[in-house]
Amino acid sequence: MKRLLTAAVAALLLASCSTTGTESPKDNAPVQLLVFGSPDELAAYRTLVSAYKGGQVQLVEAADRKDLITKLSTSIAGGAPQDLFLMNYRFYGQFAAKNAIEPIDDQLKKSTVIKAADFYPEAMKPFQWAGKQLCMPQNVSSLQVYYNKGLFTKFGVAAPKPGWTWTDMLTTAQDMTRDAAGHVVKATEPEAGATPPAVHGLGTESVMIRLAPFVWSNGGQLVDNDAKPTRFTFDTPAAREALKNFIDLRLGYGVIPTDDEVKAQDLVARFTSGKLAMLLESRRITPTLRAAKELSWDVAALPTYKQPGGILHSDAYCITKASKNKESAWKFMEFAMSPEGQRIIAATGRTVPSHIATAKSNAFLDGNAPAHAQIFLDAVPSLKAVPTISTWPEIEDITEGILENALYRGDKLDDVIAEIDKQTKPIFARGEAS
Amino acid sequence: MRRSAWWMLAPYLIGLLGLVLIPFGITVAMALTEYDLINPPEWLGWANFRELWHDDGFRTALMNSLVFAAIAVPLRLGIALMLALLLHRRAFMAGSARTAAALPTAVPEIAYGLLWLWLFNPSFGPINQVLGPLFNRLGVLAPRWLTMPADARAAIILMSLFTIGEMFVILVAARQALPRDAYELAEIEDATGWDIFRRVTLPMLAPVLGVLLIRDTIMSLQLSFTPALVVTKGGPPPHSTTYLSLFVYRNAFEYLRYGYAAAATVIMLALTMLAVLIQAVILARARQMRR
């Protein structure tokens, strides 16, 4: 009976939303590339597409990451998926686990344009699923500290130095938190009629990918098993210490803006308008900062606890399994990953090329801000990736809420750890790992 | 005659079948499966419903939806009625006022949400620019519309109070259609304004109000979706303004849990039907009592 019902439901659902028949290559149809991004990024993709002479490529632009996931899943269900899509390693797991991505090992081996060894292995590995290379990483970005050089000069505070520690960053952030008269202040909880600081020392989002590198740097682990995680391990001493220090940034030390201030003006806007001295961000904000002509800024390495710790930020081109244009899609992917394609995207400033030779060339180290762009390349050997589990998007959303309340409402550390465990354990259990 | 009636009904019946009954059937079937739109569905039986029962996020979304309906629906109906009674007459600027009352409903939902996102901005928004100094004098903070749970829920309700254009137009038309004799008779008997409202206007408008009440209760489960998605993003954490519609959307379109989302939708439908049934029974009893 169950089988009969399942079959009936499957037939009904598939008939209602799918037109998939036998796959037939459509030689003349353009390759559809699904992306999302800022206007700068989209302009770069358009340049990349127009530079490609191997055939027609149609750019399909999603509003944001969540919209991209919706577009991709519904198009797969409809039997007419985009041929290529660009997705972060943290989110591709839900498609990889469902066997919706075409492995590219064979094409990569045969290719005369690119070789696997041309790319940073730190970026290649997270896109391997069950021993197969599913996607090609477009970039190998990481979390670093952006700082406002003008503000540091104005207040006579030493700029971040290589090898600095978490404590150094905290002290610097305290020194840089100033009122309108330029006096060092401690930002407190919002009070009626109180004037907030004019400049906050530091800005960070309350998300797991901001906290994770500090856990690793402190010698801790984020989850119990990187390959097949079942729970977070914030109850271990190293992870607990990193979490405590992270959530103390607001209510303990008063160096980051309140949630109301962040809602009023987001962190990047606060940084560009001189209201933040330092900002924890990946390479993606570089085009925005370059566009702020009045701003004098640079980038410094992430501070450390016991050892260098960094977190990978990487997006990759993936071919959908149900694509009817796989060969053409691979040809375009090959071009996008070639030195020429990587140079075009690198010119936007948005990415750290995953192609090693391009990353070390003037295409990336082009003399434009940030002056210390080399920091992104120096960080690569110490980069770690969060688990590529299929339910990671849910886990990130849930933990963001818990960390936000911890940071801004002052939830007790034990409660925060217990809540993270309680809320995420069932989601880990549902997830499929590579 | 009967055949022609069926022909006239046919487009509606086809629409009802294709757009309501078949999707409803698919939703119920999907609720009993695990389905991600990519692979064929797998039979789960009642497992999705059992998981929903233990899901804190779902329980909060359910409670938020019920509280929203309980507060927003009477307020929306009351304000629409008040405006209709105020503006149904021909008077100076009444036409412009009627347009102003109906206009917010015509604004596309996303644009409406983005507008309120600016209005609620804690530092630069005009609402707190006005309220801030007043609250400061009282020694308390102005509402923190986007970061405090109760204030955020109030913000979503506040947003819903301006999109009452349809109800307002229907009530203006209904009020204008009421017989003048009843009001003239009441005036002759020296009835006060309150008496006229209570004993003449309200009873005669009751059937229309009843229909609007049921309709708005059904609508209330959808009304909160765009504001919660655009303005508060379901927060402040963990789920302060996550309503059932947003819960369903996230599970289906962001987490690819279409079966689970369908189960939540079935519960949402059941609740709607229950609420409508209760209201219909109450209205029927009220009619019987009046007789």
Side-chain angles (χ1 to χ4, degrees):
Chain A
M1 182 63 182
K2 273 184 189 175
R3 279 186 189 170
L4 193 67
L5 273 170
T6 310
V9 170
L12 200 59
L13 293 174
L14 293 175
S16 66
C17 58
S18 173
T19 55
T20 314
T22 51
E23 189 180 310
S24 60
K26 292 193 287 180
D27 292 336
N28 297 325
V31 170
Q32 288 196 323
L33 169 61
L34 178 61
V35 295
F36 79 92
S38 63
D40 294 322
E41 292 168 60
L42 294 174
Y45 295 130
R46 284 186 211 114
T47 310
L48 184 72
V49 164
S50 54
Y52 179 58
K53 305 297 177 202
Q56 272 193 306
V57 177
Q58 183 190 349
L59 213 57
V60 181
E61 295 170 9
D64 54 24
R65 186 255 301 173
K66 290 179 175 178
D67 184 42
L68 187 145
I69 289 174
T70 303
K71 273 192 165 66
L72 185 61
S73 59
T74 49
S75 71
I76 291 172
Q82 287 82 28
D83 307 289
L84 268 176
F85 63 93
L86 196 69
M87 192 173 279
N88 193 285
Y89 76 94
R90 303 185 338 258
F91 307 117
Y92 94 116
Q94 53 188 333
F95 294 97
K98 296 174 201 324
N99 200 24
I101 304 175
E102 180 73 12
I104 51 167
D105 300 86
D106 291 343
Q107 289 98 321
L108 193 54
K109 273 179 200 156
K110 286 182 211 161
S111 176
T112 54
V113 182
I114 54 172
K115 294 194 299 284
D118 294 341
F119 301 93
Y120 284 105
E122 290 82 358
M124 291 287 277
K125 200 172 172 227
F127 291 102
Q128 289 165 2
W129 193 273
K132 290 178 180 168
Q133 189 72 41
L134 292 194
C135 309
M136 285 301 288
Q138 181 222 46
N139 54 64
V140 62
S141 181
S142 53
L143 188 71
Q144 305 297 347
V145 182
Y146 287 81
Y147 65 96
N148 184 322
K149 282 164 67 175
L151 282 177
F152 274 82
T153 307
K154 180 180 172 186
F155 296 132
V157 176
K161 288 178 186 162
W164 66 330
T165 63
W166 172 272
T167 311
D168 295 334
M169 183 181 76
L170 185 59
T171 311
T172 307
Q174 286 174 311
D175 287 347
M176 290 300 295
T177 303
R178 306 278 177 142
D179 63 15
H183 301 123
V184 173
V185 289
K186 180 183 173 185
T188 56
E189 266 294 82
E191 288 171 22
T195 308
V199 176
H200 284 91
L202 183 68
T204 179
E205 290 172 280
S206 57
V207 289
M208 194 53 75
I209 54 168
R210 296 287 181 269
L211 168 62
F214 299 112
V215 172
W216 295 326
S217 175
N218 202 25
Q221 294 298 320
L222 196 61
V223 290
D224 57 350
N225 180 344
D226 281 338
K228 203 170 182 181
T230 64
R231 60 184 293 266
F232 281 111
T233 49
F234 285 107
D235 48 0
T236 56
R240 183 186 167 92
E241 185 187 10
L243 173 63
K244 182 187 183 307
N245 289 344
F246 186 81
I247 61 180
D248 276 350
L249 285 172
R250 168 73 217 137
L251 294 174
Y253 300 105
V255 294
I256 63 171
T258 65
D259 48 356
D260 273 314
E261 285 165 323
V262 177
K263 294 281 184 196
Q265 190 177 25
D266 70 41
L267 291 172
V268 177
R270 296 186 80 80
F271 185 79
T272 52
S273 60
K275 293 176 185 168
L276 267 187
M278 296 183 285
L279 173 62
L280 299 183
E281 256 295 354
S282 70
R283 179 77 188 188
R284 72 180 185 92
I285 64 166
T286 293
T288 309
L289 301 190
R290 282 182 184 174
K293 298 292 180 200
E294 304 295 313
L295 187 69
S296 166
W297 61 281
D298 201 353
V299 67
L302 208 59
T304 58
Y305 279 93
K306 294 171 183 163
Q307 61 201 38
I311 182 165
L312 177 73
H313 286 241
S314 180
D315 312 284
Y317 294 102
C318 312
I319 299 175
T320 47
K321 192 144 209 152
S323 161
K324 297 181 178 75
N325 251 339
K326 283 179 198 158
E327 197 54 42
S328 305
W330 165 254
K331 288 287 174 200
F332 177 76
M333 190 199 278
E334 212 173 29
F335 169 73
M337 297 303 297
S338 70
E340 187 187 351
Q342 289 269 292
R343 271 198 302 274
I344 291 170
I345 294 294
T348 64
R350 196 269 182 197
T351 66
V352 181
S354 55
H355 189 268
I356 299 170
T358 311
K360 290 179 176 173
S361 73
N362 286 341
F364 176 64
L365 303 170
D366 55 5
N368 287 321
H372 290 88
Q374 178 69 35
I375 278 168
F376 287 99
L377 304 184
D378 295 342
V380 172
S382 60
L383 294 185
K384 271 192 81 169
V386 295
T388 50
I389 185 172
S390 65
T391 50
W392 186 258
E394 278 180 77
I395 291 168
E396 269 200 14
D397 285 352
I398 288 280
T399 51
E400 181 178 353
I402 299 169
L403 290 176
E404 191 177 321
N405 275 351
L407 201 64
Y408 298 116
R409 305 266 169 271
D411 290 353
K412 286 181 186 168
L413 185 63
D414 287 329
D415 296 344
V416 174
I417 293 170
E419 193 64 13
I420 288 175
D421 206 37
K422 181 188 161 205
Q423 296 281 344
T424 57
K425 249 182 170 174
I427 311 177
F428 274 118
R430 261 196 289 115
E432 289 174 60
S434 136
Chain B
M1 182 65 187
R2 184 170 284 180
R3 180 176 286 183
S4 64
W6 276 110
W7 276 113
M8 288 171 75
L9 264 177
Y12 174 76
L13 290 177
I14 291 168
L16 182 72
L17 186 73
L19 300 174
V20 179
L21 295 178
I22 291 177
F24 175 74
I26 291 177
T27 304
V28 172
M30 211 194 285
L32 303 171
T33 68
E34 183 184 337
Y35 184 43
D36 53 29
L37 274 197
I38 296 167
N39 293 311
E42 280 179 37
W43 180 264
L44 284 184
W46 298 103
N48 283 331
F49 292 94
R50 280 197 294 272
E51 191 180 337
L52 280 174
W53 181 256
H54 298 288
D55 187 335
D56 289 344
F58 174 72
R59 282 205 296 264
T60 309
L62 181 63
M63 187 52 72
N64 286 344
S65 294
L66 294 176
V67 170
F68 176 83
I71 297 174
V73 173
L75 279 177
R76 282 165 53 83
L77 195 58
I79 292 170
L81 177 63
M82 194 181 73
L83 286 172
L85 296 182
L86 199 67
L87 300 172
H88 76 278
R89 294 188 194 91
R90 283 187 184 173
F92 177 67
M93 296 293 282
S96 305
R98 281 200 288 261
T99 307
L103 206 57
T105 311
V107 177
E109 281 187 87
I110 295 287
Y112 186 73
L114 291 173
L115 176 72
W116 279 96
L117 194 58
W118 169 68
L119 291 171
F120 284 135
N121 186 298
S123 301
F124 313 114
I127 295 178
N128 274 21
Q129 294 276 357
V130 173
L131 293 181
L134 298 175
F135 277 74
N136 281 344
R137 279 187 196 172
L138 300 171
V140 290
L141 283 169
R144 296 161 71 184
W145 304 108
L146 305 176
T147 54
M148 293 301 281
D151 297 356
R153 288 189 196 109
I156 300 291
I157 291 172
L158 187 63
M159 285 179 70
S160 77
L161 301 184
F162 291 85
T163 51
I164 51 170
E166 285 172 52
M167 277 200 288
F168 166 71
V169 169
I170 291 168
L171 285 169
V172 167
R175 174 60 188 86
Q176 285 174 339
L178 295 184
R180 282 189 180 182
D181 318 3
Y183 289 92
E184 286 167 2
L185 200 63
E187 268 182 38
I188 291 168
E189 292 187 1
D190 282 339
T192 63
W194 172 244
D195 284 335
I196 294 172
F197 171 72
R198 202 162 55 95
R199 294 183 182 277
V200 180
T201 309
L202 207 52
M204 286 200 286
L205 282 180
V208 178
L209 287 171
V211 170
L212 289 177
L213 178 69
I214 290 173
R215 180 186 166 279
D216 215 47
T217 305
I218 297 168
M219 287 277 291
S220 72
L221 289 170
Q222 300 159 34
L223 275 174
S224 54
F225 175 70
T226 310
L229 182 73
V230 175
V231 180
T232 55
K233 295 177 174 64
H239 307 288
S240 303
T241 59
T242 300
Y243 301 92
L244 281 175
S245 49
L246 187 61
F247 178 88
V248 167
Y249 174 83
R250 284 198 166 146
N251 274 284
F253 293 104
E254 292 178 11
Y255 307 144
L256 308 185
R257 302 191 73 199
Y258 286 87
Y260 194 59
T265 307
V266 168
I267 292 178
M268 201 162 100
L269 284 169
L271 276 175
T272 310
M273 286 159 74
L274 185 69
V276 169
L277 193 70
I278 291 170
Q279 288 175 0
V281 169
I282 291 171
L283 290 171
R285 283 196 183 167
R287 269 201 300 272
Q288 276 177 351
M289 281 171 70
R290 275 207 307 274
R291 281 173 196 162

